[in-house]
Amino acid sequence: MPLATQAFLELQDIREGILLLRNGGLRGVLMVSSINFALKSDEEQTSIIYAFQSFLNSLDFSCQIVVQSRKINITPYLDTIKNLEESQTNELLKTQTSSYVDFIKELVKDNNIMTKNFYVVVPYALTEILGVGATMKQVKNLTDEEFEKCKSQLWQRMEFVAMGLKRCELDVIPLTTAELIELFWSIHHPGEAEQGYFPEILPELLK
């Protein structure tokens, strides 16, 4: 019998915007914007490079940079155009709108247009609170007080990382529980995500 996807994930739970791993680790995820480095002046480029170098040198813990490439989802845009088409009273405009929808579909299909999202994963180990001798039972049965302590320490790290990246002219926001669920779901269901389909639970969580 095939195993469910969950059996292969290191992820145990998502709680208050925090990833809890099976091995006792915690992770916070920051979504980071991009900048068009090539359009910056020489002085601006140098300033950004030095700011990023300074940020890396200031870290006393490891971070993971994740780049997610996904086919662009044009479903919401096409739905808007189709609604506009249906509301058209001028037959010529209605025909042109329909042709435009077909054109956009073919453009995306033939050119494989991609969108990229950038994330920084910030780690924290439960052993830093529970001690190096912590057992897996302790990890799986984390008390509310222990979780709050770990969350506080992890958030301090995330804020430190966010401040360093903002000095590099980047926008940074932490992902919420709902956004983390959507991210993991889309990773394991890329086809549905590219078409704009999400299970009913996701729209409710993302409100």
Side-chain angles (χ1 to χ4, degrees), residues 136-163:
M136 286 307 297
K137 184 177 181 180
Q138 285 178 284
V139 169
K140 291 181 179 180
N141 296 285
L142 198 65
T143 67
D144 290 340
E145 183 180 357
E146 289 169 340
F147 175 76
E148 288 300 322
K149 288 181 180 179
C150 292
K151 185 180 74 170
S152 176
Q153 294 297 317
L154 179 56
W155 270 98
Q156 287 182 31
R157 287 188 177 182
M158 292 170 67
E159 289 174 356
F160 182 80
V161 170
M163 289 179 61

Side-chain angles (χ1 to χ4, degrees), residues 57-68:
N57 289 334
S58 69
L59 295 176
D60 60 358
F61 51 87
S62 62
C63 287
Q64 182 181 14
I65 298 174
V66 178
V67 181
Q68 182 195 48

Side-chain angles (χ1 to χ4, degrees), residues 178 181-182 185 189 192 196-207:
I181 292 173
E182 189 276 333
W185 186 89
H189 302 82
E192 293 91 334
Y197 168 79
F198 296 98
E200 292 184 4
I201 186 175
L202 293 181
E204 292 299 319
L205 287 171
L206 292 170
K207 284 181 179 179

Side-chain angles (χ1 to χ4, degrees), residues 78-201:
L78 290 180
D79 288 344
T80 301
I81 301 301
K82 286 178 181 177
N83 291 335
L84 180 62
E85 176 189 351
E86 292 173 359
S87 66
Q88 290 286 1
T89 55
N90 185 302
E91 286 301 320
L92 177 59
L93 289 176
K94 196 167 187 175
T95 302
Q96 289 178 333
T97 304
S98 178
S99 297
Y100 176 71
V101 170
D102 293 336
F103 166 74
I104 293 297
K105 285 182 178 178
E106 289 301 315
L107 178 65
V108 174
K109 178 182 176 182
D110 295 338
N111 292 280
N112 200 27
I113 301 174
M114 306 293 289
T115 181
K116 290 184 181 293
N117 293 319
F118 303 89
Y119 304 95
V120 174
V121 183
V122 183
Y124 189 80
L126 290 177
T127 52
E128 297 183 49
I129 289 290
L130 303 178
V132 292
T135 64
M136 286 307 297
K137 184 177 181 180
Q138 285 178 284
V139 169
K140 291 181 179 180
N141 296 285
L142 198 65
T143 67
D144 290 340
E145 183 180 357
E146 289 169 340
F147 175 76
E148 288 300 322
K149 288 181 180 179
C150 292
K151 185 180 74 170
S152 176
Q153 294 297 317
L154 179 56
W155 270 98
Q156 287 182 31
R157 287 188 177 182
M158 292 170 67
E159 289 174 356
F160 182 80
V161 170
M163 289 179 61
L165 292 174
K166 286 177 181 178
R167 294 191 186 100
C168 303
E169 301 184 19
L170 297 167
D171 294 322
V172 184
I173 57 170
L175 295 189
T176 64
T177 295
E179 290 165 338
L180 287 168
I181 292 173
E182 189 276 333
L183 174 62
F184 275 90
W185 186 89
S186 66
I187 290 172
H188 293 280
H189 302 82
E192 293 91 334
E194 289 160 8
Q195 296 170 11
Y197 168 79
F198 296 98
E200 292 184 4
I201 186 175

